[in-house]
Amino acid sequence: EPASIEVYGRKSTVDATLKNLSATGACLAWHKEGFELTTGDLVCLTVELVKLRKRHKVNAEVVWCSGKEMGVTFIPAEELVAKFASRSE
């Protein structure tokens, strides 16, 4: 499924492809040269559910990166706020 990745704290969004999805996370790939992620990055994923004709946004944390692929675990909004707060201390 088509998707986009927005890294919190950066001003860019990159187009991606959802490779697999589970109840707790996902694997995505992108093609843009120079786009890099680091384990621990906080992201907002927008996934186009083509067959359902819906768009879904979810917050996530990068748990692994390899080349132009990443794995994420989904995080609820209140946990996202807590992670931002702990990084600014």
Side-chain angles (χ1 to χ4, degrees), residues 41-83:
D41 280 345
L42 301 173
V43 298
C44 178
L45 306 176
T46 303
V47 180
E48 302 290 337
L49 302 170
V50 177
K51 292 179 184 176
L52 298 175
R53 295 184 181 148
K54 293 189 177 189
R55 178 181 291 167
H56 188 68
K57 283 190 167 194
V58 63
N59 296 311
E61 182 173 3
V62 177
V63 292
W64 63 264
C65 294
S66 178
K68 293 182 180 179
E69 291 186 359
M70 71 170 181
V72 298
T73 185
F74 302 134
I75 56 176
E78 59 273 6
E79 188 175 331
L80 179 69
V81 171
K83 286 181 180 285

Side-chain angles (χ1 to χ4, degrees), residues 30-46:
W30 63 90
H31 301 290
K32 183 177 180 181
E33 294 297 327
F35 181 74
E36 293 184 16
L37 289 166
T38 303
T39 301
D41 280 345
L42 301 173
V43 298
C44 178
L45 306 176
T46 303

